[in-house]
Coordinates of all heavy atoms in Angstrom, one line a residue:
M1 N 0.8 -1.2 0.0 CA 0.0 0.0 0.0 C 0.9 1.2 0.0 O 1.9 1.3 0.6 CB -0.9 0.0 1.2 CG -1.8 1.2 1.3 SD -3.1 1.0 2.4 CE -3.5 2.6 2.6
E2 N 0.4 2.2 -0.7 CA 1.1 3.5 -0.7 C 1.1 4.2 0.6 O 0.3 4.0 1.5 CB 0.3 4.4 -1.6 CG 1.0 5.0 -2.9 CD 0.1 5.9 -3.6 OE1 0.0 7.1 -3.3 OE2 -0.4 5.3 -4.6
D3 N 2.2 4.9 0.9 CA 2.2 5.7 2.1 C 1.2 6.9 2.0 O 1.1 7.5 1.0 CB 3.6 6.3 2.3 CG 4.6 5.3 2.7 OD1 4.2 4.2 3.2 OD2 5.9 5.5 2.5
V4 N 0.5 7.1 3.1 CA -0.4 8.3 3.2 C 0.0 9.2 4.3 O 0.7 8.7 5.2 CB -1.9 7.8 3.4 CG1 -2.3 7.0 2.1 CG2 -2.0 6.9 4.6
D5 N -0.4 10.4 4.2 CA 0.1 11.4 5.2 C -0.8 11.4 6.4 O -0.4 11.9 7.4 CB 0.1 12.8 4.5 CG -1.2 13.2 4.0 OD1 -2.2 12.3 3.9 OD2 -1.4 14.4 3.6
T6 N -1.9 10.8 6.4 CA -2.7 10.7 7.6 C -3.5 9.4 7.6 O -3.8 8.8 6.5 CB -3.8 11.8 7.7 OG1 -4.6 11.6 8.8 CG2 -4.7 12.0 6.5
I7 N -3.8 8.8 8.7 CA -4.5 7.5 8.8 C -5.9 7.6 8.2 O -6.4 6.6 7.8 CB -4.5 7.0 10.3 CG1 -4.8 5.6 10.4 CG2 -5.4 7.9 11.2 CD1 -4.6 4.9 11.7
Y8 N -6.4 8.8 8.3 CA -7.8 9.0 7.7 C -7.8 8.8 6.2 O -9.0 8.6 5.7 CB -8.4 10.3 8.1 CG -8.5 10.4 9.6 CD1 -7.6 11.1 10.4 CD2 -9.6 9.8 10.3 CE1 -7.7 11.2 11.7 CE2 -9.7 9.8 11.6 CZ -8.8 10.5 12.4 OH -8.9 10.6 13.8
A9 N -6.7 8.8 5.5 CA -6.7 8.6 4.0 C -6.6 7.1 3.7 O -6.9 6.8 2.6 CB -5.5 9.3 3.5
V10 N -6.3 6.2 4.7 CA -6.3 4.8 4.4 C -7.5 4.2 3.8 O -7.4 3.5 2.8 CB -5.7 4.1 5.7 CG1 -5.8 2.6 5.5 CG2 -4.3 4.5 6.1
P11 N -8.7 4.4 4.4 CA -9.9 3.8 3.8 C -10.1 4.1 2.3 O -10.5 3.2 1.5 CB -11.0 4.3 4.6 CG -10.5 4.6 6.0 CD -9.1 5.1 5.7
A12 N -9.8 5.3 2.0 CA -10.0 5.8 0.5 C -9.0 5.0 -0.3 O -9.3 4.6 -1.4 CB -9.9 7.2 0.4
E13 N -7.8 4.9 0.1 CA -6.7 4.2 -0.7 C -7.0 2.7 -0.8 O -6.9 2.2 -1.9 CB -5.3 4.4 0.0 CG -4.8 5.8 -0.1 CD -4.6 6.3 -1.5 OE1 -4.1 5.5 -2.3 OE2 -4.8 7.4 -1.8
L14 N -7.5 2.1 0.3 CA -7.9 0.7 0.2 C -9.1 0.5 -0.7 O -9.2 -0.5 -1.4 CB -8.1 0.2 1.6 CG -6.9 0.0 2.5 CD1 -7.3 -0.4 3.9 CD2 -5.9 -0.9 1.9
S15 N -10.0 1.4 -0.7 CA -11.1 1.3 -1.6 C -10.7 1.4 -3.1 O -11.2 0.7 -3.9 CB -12.1 2.4 -1.3 OG -13.2 2.3 -2.1
K16 N -9.7 2.4 -3.3 CA -9.2 2.5 -4.7 C -8.6 1.2 -5.2 O -8.6 0.9 -6.4 CB -8.2 3.6 -4.7 CG -8.7 5.0 -4.9 CD -7.6 5.9 -5.3 CE -7.3 6.9 -4.3 NZ -6.2 7.9 -4.6
E17 N -7.9 0.5 -4.2 CA -7.3 -0.8 -4.6 C -8.3 -1.9 -4.7 O -7.9 -3.0 -5.1 CB -6.2 -1.1 -3.7 CG -5.0 -0.1 -3.7 CD -4.0 -0.3 -2.7 OE1 -3.9 -1.5 -2.1 OE2 -3.1 0.5 -2.5
G18 N -9.5 -1.7 -4.4 CA -10.5 -2.7 -4.5 C -10.7 -3.7 -3.3 O -11.3 -4.7 -3.4
L19 N -10.2 -3.3 -2.1 CA -10.2 -4.2 -1.0 C -11.7 -4.4 -0.5 O -12.1 -5.5 -0.1 CB -9.4 -3.6 0.2 CG -9.4 -4.5 1.5 CD1 -8.7 -5.8 1.2 CD2 -8.7 -3.8 2.6
D20 N -12.4 -3.3 -0.5 CA -13.9 -3.4 -0.1 C -14.6 -4.4 -1.0 O -15.4 -5.2 -0.5 CB -14.5 -2.1 -0.1 CG -14.4 -1.3 -1.3 OD1 -13.5 -1.7 -2.2 OD2 -14.9 -0.2 -1.4
E21 N -14.4 -4.4 -2.3 CA -15.1 -5.4 -3.2 C -14.6 -6.8 -2.9 O -15.4 -7.7 -2.9 CB -14.7 -5.1 -4.6 CG -15.4 -3.8 -5.1 CD -16.9 -3.9 -5.1 OE1 -17.4 -5.0 -5.5 OE2 -17.6 -2.9 -4.8
Q22 N -13.3 -7.0 -2.6 CA -12.8 -8.3 -2.2 C -13.4 -8.9 -1.0 O -13.8 -10.0 -0.9 CB -11.3 -8.3 -2.1 CG -10.5 -8.0 -3.3 CD -10.5 -9.3 -4.2 OE1 -10.7 -10.4 -3.8 NE2 -10.3 -9.1 -5.5
I23 N -13.6 -8.0 0.0 CA -14.2 -8.4 1.3 C -15.6 -8.8 1.1 O -16.1 -9.8 1.6 CB -14.0 -7.3 2.4 CG1 -12.5 -7.2 2.7 CG2 -14.9 -7.6 3.6 CD1 -12.3 -6.0 3.6
L24 N -16.3 -8.0 0.4 CA -17.8 -8.3 0.1 C -17.9 -9.6 -0.7 O -18.7 -10.4 -0.4 CB -18.4 -7.2 -0.7 CG -18.6 -5.9 0.0 CD1 -19.1 -4.8 -0.9 CD2 -19.7 -6.1 1.2
R25 N -17.0 -9.9 -1.6 CA -17.0 -11.1 -2.5 C -16.7 -12.3 -1.5 O -17.5 -13.3 -1.6 CB -16.0 -11.0 -3.5 CG -16.1 -12.2 -4.5 CD -15.0 -12.1 -5.6 NE -13.6 -12.0 -5.2 CZ -12.9 -13.0 -4.6 NH1 -13.4 -14.2 -4.5 NH2 -11.7 -12.8 -4.2
L26 N -15.7 -12.2 -0.7 CA -15.3 -13.3 0.2 C -16.4 -13.6 1.2 O -16.6 -14.8 1.6 CB -14.0 -13.0 0.9 CG -12.8 -13.0 0.0 CD1 -11.6 -12.5 0.8 CD2 -12.5 -14.4 -0.5
L27 N -17.1 -12.6 1.7 CA -18.2 -12.8 2.6 C -19.5 -13.1 1.9 O -20.6 -13.3 2.7 CB -18.3 -11.6 3.5 CG -17.1 -11.3 4.5 CD1 -17.3 -10.0 5.2 CD2 -16.9 -12.5 5.4
R28 N -19.5 -13.1 0.6 CA -20.7 -13.4 -0.2 C -21.9 -12.4 0.2 O -23.0 -12.8 0.4 CB -21.2 -14.8 0.0 CG -20.2 -15.8 -0.5 CD -20.6 -17.2 -0.5 NE -19.6 -18.0 -1.1 CZ -19.2 -19.2 -0.5 NH1 -19.8 -19.6 0.6 NH2 -18.3 -19.9 -1.1
L29 N -21.5 -11.1 0.3 CA -22.5 -10.1 0.5 C -22.7 -9.3 -0.7 O -21.8 -9.2 -1.6 CB -21.9 -9.1 1.6 CG -21.7 -9.7 3.0 CD1 -21.0 -8.7 3.9 CD2 -23.0 -10.2 3.6
E30 N -23.9 -8.7 -0.8 CA -24.3 -7.9 -1.9 C -23.4 -6.7 -2.1 O -23.1 -6.0 -1.2 CB -25.7 -7.6 -1.8 CG -26.3 -6.7 -3.0 CD -27.7 -6.2 -2.7 OE1 -28.4 -6.8 -1.9 OE2 -28.1 -5.3 -3.4
S31 N -22.9 -6.5 -3.3 CA -22.1 -5.3 -3.6 C -23.0 -4.2 -4.1 O -23.8 -4.4 -4.9 CB -21.1 -5.7 -4.6 OG -20.3 -4.6 -5.0
R32 N -22.8 -3.0 -3.5 CA -23.5 -1.8 -3.9 C -22.4 -0.8 -4.3 O -21.3 -0.9 -3.8 CB -24.4 -1.3 -2.8 CG -25.5 -2.2 -2.5 CD -26.4 -1.6 -1.4 NE -26.0 -2.2 -0.2 CZ -26.2 -1.8 1.0 NH1 -26.8 -0.5 1.2 NH2 -25.8 -2.4 2.1
P33 N -22.7 0.2 -5.1 CA -21.8 1.2 -5.4 C -21.3 2.0 -4.1 O -22.2 2.3 -3.3 CB -22.5 2.2 -6.3 CG -23.7 1.4 -6.8 CD -24.0 0.4 -5.8
S34 N -20.1 2.1 -3.9 CA -19.6 2.8 -2.7 C -19.6 4.3 -3.0 O -19.4 4.8 -4.1 CB -18.2 2.3 -2.3 OG -17.3 2.7 -3.4
D35 N -19.8 5.1 -1.9 CA -19.9 6.6 -1.9 C -18.8 7.0 -1.0 O -19.1 7.2 0.2 CB -21.2 7.1 -1.6 CG -21.2 8.7 -1.7 OD1 -20.3 9.2 -2.3 OD2 -22.2 9.2 -1.2
M36 N -17.6 7.3 -1.4 CA -16.5 7.7 -0.5 C -16.4 9.2 -0.4 O -15.6 9.8 0.3 CB -15.2 7.1 -1.1 CG -15.0 5.7 -1.0 SD -15.0 5.0 0.7 CE -13.5 5.7 1.3
K37 N -17.4 9.9 -1.1 CA -17.3 11.4 -1.1 C -17.3 12.0 0.3 O -16.5 12.9 0.6 CB -18.4 12.0 -2.0 CG -18.3 13.5 -2.1 CD -19.2 14.0 -3.1 CE -19.2 15.5 -3.2 NZ -18.3 16.3 -2.5
P38 N -18.3 11.6 1.2 CA -18.2 12.2 2.5 C -16.9 11.9 3.2 O -16.4 12.8 3.9 CB -19.4 11.5 3.3 CG -20.3 11.0 2.2 CD -19.4 10.7 1.0
W39 N -16.3 10.8 3.1 CA -15.0 10.5 3.7 C -13.9 11.3 3.1 O -13.0 11.9 3.8 CB -14.7 9.0 3.6 CG -13.6 8.6 4.4 CD1 -12.3 8.4 4.1 CD2 -13.6 8.4 5.9 NE1 -11.5 8.1 5.2 CE2 -12.4 8.1 6.3 CE3 -14.6 8.3 6.8 CZ2 -12.0 7.7 7.6 CZ3 -14.4 8.0 8.1 CH2 -13.1 7.8 8.5
L40 N -13.9 11.5 1.8 CA -12.9 12.2 1.1 C -13.0 13.7 1.5 O -12.0 14.4 1.6 CB -13.0 12.0 -0.5 CG -12.6 10.7 -0.9 CD1 -12.9 10.5 -2.4 CD2 -11.2 10.3 -0.7
D41 N -14.3 14.1 1.6 CA -14.5 15.6 2.1 C -13.9 15.8 3.5 O -13.3 16.8 3.7 CB -16.0 15.9 2.1 CG -16.6 16.0 0.7 OD1 -15.8 16.1 -0.2 OD2 -17.8 16.0 0.6
L42 N -14.0 14.8 4.4 CA -13.5 14.9 5.7 C -11.9 15.0 5.6 O -11.3 15.9 6.3 CB -13.8 13.6 6.5 CG -13.1 13.5 7.9 CD1 -13.6 14.4 8.9 CD2 -13.1 12.0 8.3
V43 N -11.3 14.2 4.8 CA -9.9 14.2 4.6 C -9.4 15.5 4.1 O -8.5 16.2 4.5 CB -9.4 13.0 3.8 CG1 -7.9 13.2 3.5 CG2 -9.7 11.7 4.4
Y44 N -10.2 16.1 3.1 CA -9.9 17.4 2.5 C -9.9 18.5 3.6 O -9.1 19.3 3.6 CB -10.9 17.7 1.3 CG -10.6 19.1 0.8 CD1 -9.6 19.2 -0.2 CD2 -11.4 20.1 1.2 CE1 -9.4 20.5 -0.8 CE2 -11.1 21.4 0.6 CZ -10.2 21.5 -0.4 OH -9.9 22.8 -0.9
R45 N -11.1 18.4 4.4 CA -11.2 19.5 5.4 C -10.1 19.4 6.5 O -9.7 20.4 7.1 CB -12.5 19.3 6.1 CG -13.7 19.8 5.2 CD -15.0 19.9 5.9 NE -15.3 18.9 6.8 CZ -16.1 17.8 6.5 NH1 -16.6 17.7 5.3 NH2 -16.3 16.8 7.3
M46 N -9.6 18.2 6.7 CA -8.5 18.1 7.7 C -7.2 18.8 7.1 O -6.4 19.4 7.8 CB -8.2 16.6 7.9 CG -9.2 15.9 8.7 SD -8.9 14.2 9.0 CE -7.4 14.2 10.0
H47 N -7.0 18.7 5.8 CA -5.9 19.3 5.2 C -6.0 20.8 4.9 O -5.1 21.5 4.7 CB -5.5 18.6 3.9 CG -4.8 17.2 4.1 ND1 -5.5 16.1 3.9 CD2 -3.6 16.9 4.5 CE1 -4.8 15.1 4.2 NE2 -3.6 15.5 4.5
H48 N -7.3 21.2 4.8 CA -7.6 22.6 4.5 C -8.6 23.1 5.6 O -9.8 23.3 5.3 CB -8.2 22.8 3.2 CG -7.3 22.2 2.1 ND1 -7.4 20.9 1.7 CD2 -6.3 22.8 1.3 CE1 -6.5 20.7 0.7 NE2 -5.8 21.8 0.5
P49 N -8.1 23.4 6.8 CA -9.0 23.8 7.9 C -9.6 25.2 7.6 O -8.9 26.0 7.0 CB -8.2 23.8 9.1 CG -6.8 23.9 8.7 CD -6.8 23.2 7.3
A50 N -10.8 25.4 8.1 CA -11.5 26.7 7.9 C -11.0 27.8 8.8 O -11.1 29.0 8.5 CB -13.0 26.6 8.1
G51 N -10.4 27.5 10.0 CA -9.9 28.5 10.8 C -8.8 28.0 11.7 O -8.2 27.0 11.5
E52 N -8.5 28.7 12.7 CA -7.5 28.3 13.7 C -8.1 28.1 15.1 O -9.1 28.7 15.4 CB -6.4 29.4 13.8 CG -5.6 29.5 12.5 CD -4.5 30.6 12.6 OE1 -4.2 31.0 13.7 OE2 -3.9 30.9 11.6
A53 N -7.4 27.4 15.9 CA -7.8 27.2 17.4 C -6.6 27.4 18.1 O -5.5 27.0 17.9 CB -8.4 25.8 17.5
R54 N -6.8 28.1 19.3 CA -5.7 28.2 20.2 C -5.9 27.2 21.3 O -7.0 27.2 21.9 CB -5.7 29.7 20.8 CG -4.5 29.9 21.6 CD -4.5 31.4 22.1 NE -3.2 31.7 22.6 CZ -2.5 32.7 22.5 NH1 -3.0 33.7 21.7 NH2 -1.4 32.9 23.1
I55 N -4.9 26.4 21.6 CA -5.0 25.3 22.5 C -4.0 25.7 23.8 O -2.8 26.0 23.6 CB -4.5 24.0 21.9 CG1 -5.4 23.7 20.7 CG2 -4.6 22.9 22.9 CD1 -5.1 22.6 19.9
A56 N -4.6 25.5 24.9 CA -3.8 25.8 26.2 C -3.7 24.5 26.9 O -4.6 23.6 26.9 CB -4.5 26.8 27.0
I57 N -2.6 24.3 27.6 CA -2.4 23.1 28.4 C -2.2 23.5 29.9 O -1.4 24.4 30.2 CB -1.2 22.3 27.9 CG1 -1.4 21.8 26.5 CG2 -1.0 21.1 28.9 CD1 -0.2 21.1 25.9
V58 N -3.0 22.9 30.8 CA -2.9 23.2 32.2 C -2.0 22.1 32.8 O -2.2 20.9 32.6 CB -4.2 23.2 32.9 CG1 -4.1 23.5 34.3 CG2 -5.1 24.3 32.2
G59 N -1.0 22.5 33.6 CA -0.1 21.5 34.1 C 0.0 21.7 35.6 O 0.0 22.8 36.2
K60 N 0.2 20.5 36.3 CA 0.3 20.5 37.7 C 1.8 20.8 38.2 O 2.1 21.4 39.1 CB -0.1 19.2 38.2 CG -0.1 19.0 39.7 CD -0.7 17.7 40.2 CE -0.7 17.7 41.8 NZ -1.1 16.4 42.2
Y61 N 2.7 20.2 37.4 CA 4.2 20.3 37.8 C 4.9 21.3 36.9 O 6.0 21.0 36.4 CB 4.8 18.9 37.6 CG 4.1 17.9 38.5 CD1 3.2 17.0 37.9 CD2 4.2 17.9 39.9 CE1 2.6 16.0 38.7 CE2 3.6 16.9 40.7 CZ 2.8 16.0 40.0 OH 2.1 15.1 40.8
V62 N 4.4 22.5 36.8 CA 5.0 23.5 36.0 C 6.3 24.1 36.5 O 7.1 24.7 35.8 CB 4.0 24.7 35.7 CG1 2.8 24.2 34.9 CG2 3.5 25.3 36.9
Q63 N 6.6 23.8 37.8 CA 7.9 24.3 38.3 C 9.0 23.5 37.7 O 10.2 24.1 37.6 CB 7.9 24.2 39.8 CG 6.9 24.9 40.6 CD 5.6 24.2 40.8 OE1 5.4 23.1 40.2 NE2 4.7 24.8 41.4
L64 N 8.8 22.3 37.3 CA 9.9 21.6 36.7 C 10.1 22.0 35.2 O 9.2 21.9 34.4 CB 9.6 20.0 36.7 CG 9.3 19.5 38.1 CD1 8.8 18.1 38.0 CD2 10.6 19.6 39.0
E65 N 11.3 22.4 34.9 CA 11.5 22.9 33.5 C 11.4 21.9 32.5 O 11.0 22.2 31.4 CB 13.0 23.5 33.4 CG 13.2 24.8 34.2 CD 14.5 25.4 34.0 OE1 15.1 25.2 32.9 OE2 15.0 26.0 34.9
D66 N 11.6 20.6 32.8 CA 11.5 19.6 31.7 C 10.1 19.0 31.7 O 9.8 18.2 30.8 CB 12.4 18.4 32.1 CG 13.9 18.8 32.1 OD1 14.2 19.8 31.4 OD2 14.7 18.1 32.7
A67 N 9.2 19.4 32.5 CA 7.8 18.9 32.6 C 7.0 19.3 31.3 O 6.3 18.4 30.8 CB 7.1 19.2 33.8
Y68 N 7.1 20.5 30.9 CA 6.2 21.0 29.8 C 7.1 21.8 28.8 O 7.9 22.6 29.3 CB 5.1 21.8 30.3 CG 4.2 21.0 31.1 CD1 4.2 20.9 32.5 CD2 3.1 20.2 30.5 CE1 3.4 20.2 33.2 CE2 2.3 19.4 31.3 CZ 2.4 19.4 32.7 OH 1.6 18.6 33.4
K69 N 6.8 21.7 27.6 CA 7.5 22.6 26.6 C 6.7 23.9 26.5 O 5.6 24.0 26.4 CB 7.4 21.9 25.2 CG 8.1 22.8 24.2 CD 8.0 22.1 22.8 CE 8.6 23.0 21.7 NZ 8.5 22.4 20.4
K70 N 7.5 25.0 26.6 CA 6.9 26.3 26.7 C 6.8 26.8 25.2 O 7.8 26.6 24.4 CB 7.7 27.3 27.5 CG 7.7 26.9 29.0 CD 8.5 27.8 29.8 CE 8.5 27.4 31.2 NZ 9.3 28.2 32.1
S71 N 5.7 27.4 24.8 CA 5.6 28.0 23.4 C 5.9 29.4 23.5 O 5.8 30.1 24.5 CB 4.2 27.7 22.9 OG 3.3 28.4 23.8
A72 N 6.3 29.9 22.3 CA 6.7 31.3 22.2 C 5.5 32.2 22.1 O 4.4 32.0 21.8 CB 7.5 31.5 20.9

């Protein structure tokens, strides 16, 4: 399998390679056309976020210099 930049891209890559069809065939389940668009939209939104978020971390042992990385 090709390397992907995020684990969320794996289902789409496996679907492209036909793994879902193989599993359905082996389990003798009815095959229907797959719709990966919602999943691909999710992966796209992860790579192209609409905004920014500021994240803070609260720490108990902040006196220890090695306990937490300080941001600029």
Side-chain angles (χ1 to χ4, degrees):
M1 178 164 163
E2 236 179 87
D3 288 338
V4 291
D5 57 351
T6 176
I7 194 167
Y8 295 102
V10 171
E13 290 298 320
L14 292 176
S15 179
K16 273 197 250 180
E17 293 180 14
L19 181 64
D20 47 355
E21 290 293 325
Q22 290 287 339
I23 292 171
L24 290 172
R25 185 181 58 77
L26 290 171
L27 295 174
R28 296 183 178 137
L29 296 173
E30 180 184 341
S31 176
R32 291 182 263 159
S34 64
D35 181 15
M36 293 296 292
K37 184 169 177 7
W39 192 262
L40 294 172
D41 289 344
L42 169 78
V43 174
Y44 178 84
R45 286 192 314 267
M46 289 178 65
H47 286 104
H48 303 90
E52 293 183 9
R54 188 173 189 139
I55 300 173
I57 299 175
V58 178
K60 182 175 180 181
Y61 302 103
V62 293
Q63 297 87 359
L64 303 174
E65 286 186 32
D66 295 343
Y68 296 96
K69 180 180 175 183
K70 295 179 182 178
S71 63

